[in-house]
Amino acid sequence: MIVDAIKNGIVIDHITAGHAMELYSILELDKLDCTVAVLINVPSKKKGKKDIIKVDTLLDVDFDVLGYVDPNITVSIIKDSKVEKKLEMKLPSTVTNVIKCKNPRCITSTEQELDHIFKLTNAEKKIYRCVYCESKAK
Amino acid sequence: MRSLIDIKDLSIEEIDELIVKANDIIENPKKYVHACDGLKLATLFFEPSTRTRLSFEAAMYELGGNVLGFSEAQSSSAAKGESVSDTVKTVSCYADIIAMRHPKEGAPLVASRKASVPIINAGDGGHNHPTQTLTDLLTIHREKGRFNNLTIGFCGDLKFGRTVHSLIEAMSRYQNIKVVLISPVELKLPSYIKHDVLRAHNIEYVQTTNLEDVMPTLDILYMTRVQRERFFNEDDYVRLKDSYILTPEKLVNAKEDLCIMHPLPRVNEISTEIDSDSRACYFKQVLNGKFIRMALILKLLGVE
């Protein structure tokens, strides 16, 4: 399958196979006007198969979100058909409004205007806890 | 401007400073009777807690300050649907420091980010209660003269008991601490505390369901109440509430200098016969609570 190269945009590569649509939804790519290619189960030497998302515009991506969803992701920024920058994601120390706190006793359950902020408390096990009630992200 | 939301907000050195200050207040009360003249503490209690509220109020009065506030959400603007943020922004205009108790976990943290005066967390649901932990630390220090080289038994509700979680966290920062966890299987210490606190600090710990077996090893026995409000199911509460009751018979093999603590209120988990035992420290804890809160108020207000 051939997908056109992009001139100015971003390529989100090395997404764990099957997770592209989750990212598509979190990054709200459905709201874009430009061309977006979602490639699923692309053969990969390293991982067997992977997903890729190509966005034909220089989108301002929240890298913390990408790192949280899949720290193995790489993001290439394409300018004038050349890779200007290649970024490797990592688990962010905090994520804001990506995960919702589900603890009914948490203050976020009643005060709707509060941001849902989670901080990384155990990188090895990828455990994030709500900054308000310290409940584990589910 | 600083607040106290979580006991982890304080370094070991700051805790030591508070202990020194509290001891000085105990020994020289007259020195402090005008320390907070003209200053006001607001006690915002969105859920009732007579003991904690009175302790804060007594602390402020003994420092020469004044107190305003409310003792339940129904008598506050929260009943009209006002947010915590708006309430504390408003109260910041009237008071110099706020002690807040709230049923929702994290509410005092939200308050501390919005208020223009220091916030003291006076308990947020089943989450944190740092002034109780400071009270416990002052009691341990006054009774034992040290924080290192102690074997501490925690008995009762170790699952929901926030005072237990906070004290374990606070004590884990000291040297050669051994922890004995005594509880019914249903109320065991949550595994994340074992992992994130005990194992992370290489604290030796044992878990048991039998209090008498471990009694001779303990320097401190921290009893807790099985709290009705922490259960979703009344049947579970009724089945477990009498699991661990401390009686004189159970103390037969205890050390002579054992320190028996309890955050209070007790229901029946410590027999009243033990109240006259010299090892019973739980009413001393209540008094220590007032002194450590006095020390904390002075620190957060920057009053020497």
Side-chain angles (χ1 to χ4, degrees), chain B residues 10 57 62 71 91 130 136 154 157 162 177 179 218-219 253 261 277 288 295 302:
Chain B
L10 295 172
E57 294 185 358
E62 288 201 21
S71 56
V91 176
D136 298 340
F154 292 92
D157 174 6
R162 63 180 168 195
I177 296 298
V179 170
L218 304 178
D219 297 308
N253 293 318
M261 297 171 65
D277 190 308
N288 289 335

Side-chain angles (χ1 to χ4, degrees), chain A residues 19-51:
Chain A
H19 285 233
M21 289 314 292
E22 186 187 348
L23 272 184
Y24 182 88
S25 156
I26 291 171
L27 296 174
E28 299 183 326
L29 300 181
D30 55 320
K31 292 183 179 157
L32 295 177
D33 272 341
C34 65
T35 308
V36 176
V38 179
L39 307 170
I40 291 172
N41 294 331
V42 179
S44 159
K45 280 182 195 160
K46 219 193 276 178
K47 302 167 87 177
K49 52 185 183 176
K50 64 180 181 178
D51 291 356

Side-chain angles (χ1 to χ4, degrees), chain B residues 3-22:
Chain B
S3 293
L4 177 63
I5 304 303
D6 186 326
I7 192 69
K8 296 191 288 292
D9 296 345
L10 295 172
S11 65
I12 287 183
E13 292 73 27
E14 286 173 314
I15 288 174
D16 287 346
E17 244 178 71
L18 288 170
I19 301 274
V20 168
K21 179 64 85 178

Side-chain angles (χ1 to χ4, degrees), chain B residues 19 23 135-153 171 177 215-222 254-261 278-281 284 288:
Chain B
I19 301 274
N23 280 323
T135 299
D136 298 340
L137 291 173
L138 177 61
T139 305
I140 289 172
H141 200 266
R142 286 187 67 78
E143 297 302 315
K144 293 289 169 192
R146 65 184 192 276
F147 288 130
N148 299 320
N149 309 314
L150 290 168
T151 299
I152 312 172
M171 291 305 293
I177 296 298
M215 188 66 88
T217 66
L218 304 178
D219 297 308
I220 293 161
L221 173 59
Y222 196 97
K255 288 183 181 172
E256 286 298 308
D257 63 347
L258 172 71
C259 168
I260 304 166
M261 297 171 65
S278 61
R279 294 169 288 189
C281 297
K284 289 186 203 169
N288 289 335

